[in-house]
Amino acid sequence: MSKGVLHHIELYVSDLEQSTEFWGWLLEELGYELFQSWESGRSWKLGETYLVFVQTEERFLDVPYHRCRVGLNHLAFHGTSRQHIDEMTEKLKERGVSILYTDKHPYAGGENYYAVFFEDPDRLKVELVAP
């Protein structure tokens, strides 16, 4: 066990099936493995850290997620290289995932910051960054 390493993140989602399709593919592309699966949730694990996705109860679905409200803004993952970012960008496009900031891609984070920015089915911003 490593002191301070993130243990897990739990995200409530509006449609578990859609989120499982999106996040399962993405996380497995990044080396995560399916860790847990139950009726209302799934998790994927890499090393000591796992990400959990849970179906939000119907009574809490009236206010949709927005990253500019109080709470989580985005999740950023390490890529292995600029080529990896380019390959993942093409795979995301093939899957119909909208790429954000296309006018500045892949330098939307600045001239020395090579990344792809996109959204999950609930519009949570996701970032994949080259070293």
Side-chain angles (χ1 to χ4, degrees), residues 13-77:
V13 297
S14 66
D15 183 323
L16 183 61
E17 187 175 328
Q18 271 190 328
S19 292
T20 295
E21 183 179 325
F22 175 87
W23 284 103
W25 170 81
L26 177 64
L27 293 173
E28 288 170 15
E29 284 281 329
L30 298 177
Y32 287 73
E33 294 181 359
L34 185 62
F35 178 51
Q36 301 163 316
S37 181
W38 66 102
E39 185 179 341
S40 60
R42 308 280 181 282
S43 70
W44 283 264
K45 187 173 187 177
L46 179 63
E48 298 176 25
T49 303
Y50 61 99
L51 280 81
V52 184
F53 303 89
V54 178
Q55 176 62 53
T56 301
E57 291 181 34
E58 189 71 36
R59 63 189 172 126
F60 296 115
L61 289 172
D62 57 329
V63 179
Y65 168 81
H66 195 288
R67 67 177 172 264
C68 291
R69 291 191 180 110
V70 173
L72 183 68
N73 177 269
H74 70 282
L75 293 175
F77 296 88

